Amino acid sequence: MAFFYVGVDVSKAKHAVAVAEGGRNGEVQYFGEIEATTAAVERFVRKLEGKHPRLHFCYEAGPTGYGLYRQLVELGHRCDVVAPSLTPKRPGERVKTNRRDAVSLARLLRAGELKEIWVPDAVHEAVRDLVRVRSAASEDLRKKRQQLLSFLLRHGRVFTGHKNWTRTHARWLAAQKFDHPAQQIVFQDQVDVITDAQDRLERLDAQLAELVPSWSMAPVVAAYQTLRGVSFIVAVTFVSEVGDVRRFDSPRQLMAFLGLVPSERSTGDTVKRGGLTLAGNRRARRVLIEGAWAYRYPARVTEPIRVRLEGLPKAVREIAWRAQTALCARYRRMMAAGKNKPIVVPAIAREMAAFRWAIGHQVEPVR
């Protein structure tokens, strides 16, 4: 029995639904709108089951999350969450409505033209939410610090020590005084919000350190930390965003997912390649780029890395050392050839992705 294809244009309040019959010339019908509640979705599915036992659903990834996907799977039907950026669109169409979007999704699903994305399980999504909140807290702290430094610079207060946000810098801040009470209030308020932001970040770090060891991907997180430039936070961020790298058939597929492959606009005999696409997961790409800077130093096993290597499989340790020697040497060669750092570091990050793909194939997540 052939599938019947159901396109769902999801939203906060209501879902627009269209159904396409199997076959190239099968009819595509707009079903209507249903409430975006669990009970309404179940009633709708049961109603369709009476006419079409085999249903294949799809909807575009977005702010509504994966609740609809999990409900449809639990009801025994196939569901694809598709990438909006890869959904084909006709350039000449200038009318966009919920009805048209639902019909288009049903038709494209039947034609096999939609790109399905990876959907994390509920526990993985929960850890990813915590990692993203921690990332937002870190960015919030950075902005608050920059605001305070800008305020001090406007009033000619410049710290001459080695580094900001150390104990020495904190003592220097405590010694600052302003003539006008308003300026002193502004200064103290900014210092206080920075302290609160630091406390928030530390709390989230502690919660991550407590929860990750019981996570199914904890062995993968530990294995990634054998690589240079990969701390606990970097490893957790990468794993939470990418998931199990074994779903990628090759390192090149992982690089494409991260947006680390060159763009191209070639025609006929002309081959023209541009910069990196940067079209993939930006959070995972960011931690890769940050880690790539560590390879500007000579290859060696530092004490923190030595501790992380303990108890890990020999294959993982060998890949980690091979990554160090290869990437440090490549960094030196590219710099000696006169390449700029904005070109060298992304190239190193691409190679790092390949080594992470290799390590991910050596470690089995806990099931």
Side-chain angles (χ1 to χ4, degrees):
M1 185 179 295
F3 273 108
F4 276 76
Y5 302 92
V6 185
V8 185
D9 184 60
V10 297
S11 65
K12 179 176 67 175
K14 293 185 177 182
H15 301 326
V17 182
V19 179
E21 296 180 355
R24 182 173 183 177
N25 298 319
E27 185 179 3
V28 181
Q29 293 182 336
Y30 178 64
F31 184 89
E33 290 187 340
I34 62 173
E35 297 292 330
T37 61
T38 302
V41 170
E42 184 171 359
R43 287 196 302 269
F44 159 71
V45 173
R46 298 305 182 195
K47 182 177 180 179
L48 280 184
E49 284 177 343
K51 301 178 180 178
H52 317 301
R54 301 186 66 191
L55 299 173
H56 185 178
F57 293 84
C58 79
Y59 68 93
E60 290 182 324
T64 55
Y66 305 116
L68 178 60
Y69 166 86
R70 296 192 177 106
Q71 181 183 3
L72 294 173
V73 171
E74 289 177 359
L75 291 173
H77 299 286
R78 180 178 174 183
C79 180
D80 294 345
V81 183
V82 301
S85 61
L86 299 178
T87 301
K89 292 180 174 61
R90 296 175 180 175
E93 290 186 351
R94 293 293 186 270
V95 178
K96 184 182 185 302
T97 64
N98 293 344
R99 174 173 182 158
R100 283 174 175 253
D101 288 346
V103 170
S104 177
L105 284 174
R107 185 179 289 110
L108 290 170
L109 178 64
R110 182 179 63 185
E113 295 293 331
L114 297 177
K115 178 64 175 178
E116 180 184 5
I117 68 168
W118 168 71
V119 178
D121 59 43
V123 176
H124 193 117
E125 186 180 12
V127 175
R128 188 175 68 179
D129 287 341
L130 180 57
V131 170
R132 288 182 176 180
V133 166
R134 189 265 172 202
S135 178
S138 178
E139 180 64 15
D140 181 57
L141 174 60
R142 185 193 66 80
K143 290 181 178 179
K144 285 180 169 55
R145 284 175 168 178
Q146 184 60 45
Q147 289 171 355
L148 176 58
L149 293 178
S150 299
F151 172 79
L152 292 171
L153 180 60
R154 289 198 306 271
H155 294 87
R157 314 292 178 92
V158 179
F159 179 62
T160 57
H162 179 65
K163 188 178 181 181
N164 291 334
W165 313 115
T166 59
R167 292 183 179 179
T168 304
H169 186 245
R171 289 194 294 269
W172 178 82
L173 287 175
Q176 299 304 305
K177 296 180 180 179
F178 294 87
D179 296 333
H180 198 284
Q183 293 174 340
Q184 191 67 40
I185 291 172
V186 171
F187 170 75
Q188 190 59 48
D189 178 74
Q190 291 182 325
V191 171
D192 291 342
V193 297
I194 288 175
T195 302
D196 293 340
Q198 287 175 326
D199 293 342
R200 177 194 178 198
L201 184 60
E202 290 173 1
R203 288 196 304 270
L204 292 173
D205 284 341
Q207 290 164 352
L208 269 176
E210 180 182 352
L211 291 173
V212 167
S214 61
W215 185 27
S216 63
M217 300 297 289
V220 184
V221 172
Y224 282 153
Q225 292 179 72
T226 61
L227 292 168
R228 191 166 189 170
V230 181
S231 64
F232 173 75
I233 294 298
V234 169
V236 171
T237 302
F238 186 85
V239 174
S240 66
E241 295 294 337
V242 176
D244 193 344
V245 296
R246 293 178 300 176
R247 64 192 179 94
F248 300 102
D249 296 331
S250 67
R252 184 170 291 275
Q253 288 188 2
L254 175 58
M255 294 174 190
F257 175 80
L258 298 171
L260 292 174
V261 295
S263 58
E264 183 174 349
R265 292 184 66 87
S266 300
T267 178
D269 296 332
T270 302
V271 177
K272 184 177 180 181
R273 293 188 177 90
L276 299 179
T277 63
L278 302 181
N281 188 296
R282 61 182 177 85
R283 295 180 179 88
R285 184 172 62 250
R286 175 181 58 80
V287 295
L288 268 179
I289 297 293
E290 289 177 356
W293 285 98
Y295 292 93
R296 65 187 186 274
Y297 303 111
R300 69 187 184 95
V301 178
T302 61
E303 179 60 19
I305 294 179
R306 186 194 65 78
V307 173
R308 297 170 192 167
L309 290 171
E310 294 178 355
L312 292 175
K314 182 179 179 181
V316 172
R317 300 198 302 269
E318 290 176 348
I319 293 173
W321 178 244
R322 190 164 69 247
Q324 273 219 59
T325 55
L327 297 182
C328 290
R330 184 174 183 190
Y331 185 94
R332 291 195 301 271
R333 287 196 305 270
M334 295 184 72
M335 292 301 296
K339 302 292 185 181
N340 294 326
K341 288 183 179 180
I343 296 177
V344 175
V345 174
I348 299 299
R350 287 187 61 190
E351 298 299 325
M352 282 188 68
F355 283 109
R356 293 198 190 191
W357 181 88
I359 287 179
H361 280 69
Q362 299 293 331
V363 183
E364 185 78 20
V366 179
R367 301 299 181 188

